[in-house]
Each structure stands twice: as C-alpha cells, then as structure tokens.
Amino acid sequence: MGDYSYEPTVVGFHEKLEKLKEEGKQRAHNFFKDLAPEHWANSYFKGMCYGEMISNAAESFNNWIKEGHNLSITQIVDTIRTQLMQQMSKRRDQANKWNELICPTFEIMLLDSFNNRKSWQVSKANEDVLKVHSIPSVTVDIARRTCSCFKWQINGFPCDHAVISIQKSHYNLNDCVEHYFHIETYRATYSGVIFPIPSMKKLPFDPTDFTIYPSTVKRPPEGRKRIESHQGVRN
C-alpha cells in the first residue's frame, strides 16, 4: 500500500488515490476504495501507531522459530519459551547499560534531525505555537505535541518541523518525545522473567504432594445382601 498508507493527511491520501486512478490502475483503486482506511491508512487511523504500518514483527517471529515448525506442539512451545527467555534476558542486560533518556536508535535520529539545520524560517506566536515557513508552511504546537503536517501526532516522535521549532523555544527536545521511545519503557517491556522448566517430557513430581483415597462405596442393606446371595446360589 506504500505511499497511500503512510500519507499523514486526508487531503494527501485522496490526492494519491486519484493519481493512482489517473494512471490507469483502476483495479488497484477499486480494491483500495472498498477497504476501511482507518484500518490501514495513517491519515484516518485514530490511535497512535508509532510509525509502524507493516507486519514485519510477526514475519520475523515466524522466521525466528522456523527450526521448530516440524516439531510436536509441546516441543514448539518449549522452543519458543526458551528463545523468549534468552531474548528477554539479553535485552534486559543490554538496556541496563544505557544511560540516556531515549533509546539509542531514536537518540541518533533526534541528533541527526537536530544537527540537520534546514533553511526554514520560524515565526513565533508564543513560546508554544510557532509557524515553520517550509513548503507548505506548517504550524507547530509544542505544548500539545502537534504539527499540522500530522507526522508528530502519528509517530509520537518529533518531525523535522517540530525539532526546528523546539530549537527556537525553551523546551527540551528529549521531553517532547513520547514515553514509548524512552529507555525506561524499554526496560519495563523486558522486566518480566521467563523461568526454565526442568524437563519438557517429564515434569518434577513429588508423591507426597498428592494423596489418592479409595472411592467411597455404600454398603447395601442386610436384606438386599441375603437376596443377592440366594440368587447367586440358584444361578
């Protein structure tokens, strides 16, 4: 779905769909127009997807456990458990070595954007609201973490307009990044522990943990016992 799904504005979304139609790709256009855009288009999505619009995570997971595809269900579950246990431990140790506020990958993105000083002019309405004279011009509200290009709202990460506006304000750049990208959140994600299971084939068993009592049987009345006894003799 390419550019259509990532387009942040409703106007831009429909312009690209019309362009697709003009290029003669009517079949693709008909396919898209019958789909509810709030499920696949940034411009209509009501929540925050943090820039993720693909299923690579699921595909990576399937590839990650491909060696266990031919195993029994219990062996597959144990393989997944072991790999998750190792992955969580590795990432937990890694995150404990970080000393910044933002995760390293996004810290680099912020620095690159901060150092990439564009030739845009910025006009202040006040300390919160600024106009960036880009093409087209946009309005940035730092207090509300919004930009009229809509990229800041969609990704939760300051767009280039926001970064240059923050540079001209009293705000701290790191404080304008959603908590999703903070190291603290990353650490919380992997704070849980998956413990080993002694054996997949035979779990530990202590016979003293269970007491099996004989079943309760009611004794028949004496008269019934004598009748059953006589019947047994005649037979």
Side-chain angles (χ1 to χ4, degrees):
M1 295 184 180
D3 295 340
Y4 312 98
S5 59
Y6 283 99
E7 172 57 43
T9 66
V10 173
V11 173
F13 171 78
H14 287 286
E15 285 178 349
K16 289 182 178 180
L17 278 185
E18 287 303 315
K19 185 177 179 181
L20 179 68
K21 185 176 180 180
E22 291 171 2
E23 291 175 352
K25 300 176 182 178
Q26 185 63 42
R27 183 176 297 178
H29 181 271
N30 291 338
F31 173 78
F32 286 133
K33 74 182 179 68
D34 293 331
L35 297 178
E38 61 268 20
H39 298 311
W40 60 275
N42 268 338
S43 56
Y44 281 93
F45 188 66
K46 302 301 181 183
M48 186 177 290
C49 60
Y50 301 105
E52 294 296 332
M53 294 289 291
I54 51 180
S55 60
N56 281 2
E59 292 171 7
S60 296
F61 182 81
N62 288 334
N63 185 63
W64 188 47
I65 63 169
K66 64 180 180 181
E67 294 182 359
H69 286 176
N70 296 323
L71 300 176
S72 67
I73 185 64
T74 54
Q75 290 175 317
I76 291 176
V77 170
D78 191 66
T79 299
I80 294 173
R81 179 197 59 77
T82 302
Q83 292 186 210
L84 285 175
M85 179 182 70
Q86 294 171 339
Q87 183 192 68
M88 292 183 69
S89 178
K90 179 181 178 180
R91 294 187 177 180
R92 188 165 49 246
D93 293 342
Q94 183 184 45
N96 287 334
K97 297 176 183 177
W98 296 340
N99 298 315
E100 304 297 330
L101 179 68
I102 310 297
C103 290
T105 299
F106 299 99
E107 182 74 24
I108 293 172
M109 289 173 59
L110 271 184
L111 290 174
D112 288 344
S113 187
F114 187 85
N115 293 327
N116 183 21
R117 297 180 181 273
K118 297 180 181 292
S119 57
W120 295 332
Q121 297 297 315
V122 178
S123 301
K124 275 188 178 182
N126 56 30
E127 281 299 318
D128 296 334
V129 180
L130 301 93
K131 179 178 181 179
V132 179
H133 298 273
S134 55
I135 303 177
S137 295
V138 298
T139 300
V140 176
D141 188 331
I142 303 175
R144 295 184 178 183
R145 298 185 182 181
T146 64
C147 177
S148 58
C149 78
F150 292 100
K151 291 182 180 179
W152 196 359
Q153 296 93 298
I154 291 171
N155 298 327
F157 200 80
C159 59
D160 288 345
H161 306 116
V163 170
I164 197 170
S165 298
I166 294 168
Q167 287 179 292
K168 304 293 184 180
S169 72
H170 67 278
Y171 285 89
N172 182 290
L173 187 57
N174 284 340
D175 294 339
C176 296
V177 178
E178 284 289 331
H179 207 263
Y180 173 87
F181 300 99
H182 287 202
I183 290 176
E184 180 183 351
T185 302
Y186 188 96
R187 287 173 178 162
T189 301
Y190 295 101
S191 61
V193 179
I194 298 177
F195 292 101
I197 296 176
S199 173
M200 180 187 63
K201 296 181 179 179
K202 186 176 181 180
L203 297 177
F205 174 76
D206 185 346
T208 61
D209 290 342
F210 303 92
T211 302
I212 301 176
Y213 296 97
S215 59
T216 302
V217 179
K218 293 183 179 180
R219 298 181 61 184
E222 290 297 324
R224 182 178 176 183
K225 289 174 65 176
R226 286 196 297 270
I227 292 172
E228 290 177 349
S229 175
H230 289 311
Q231 289 176 343
V233 171
R234 285 199 296 271
N235 291 336

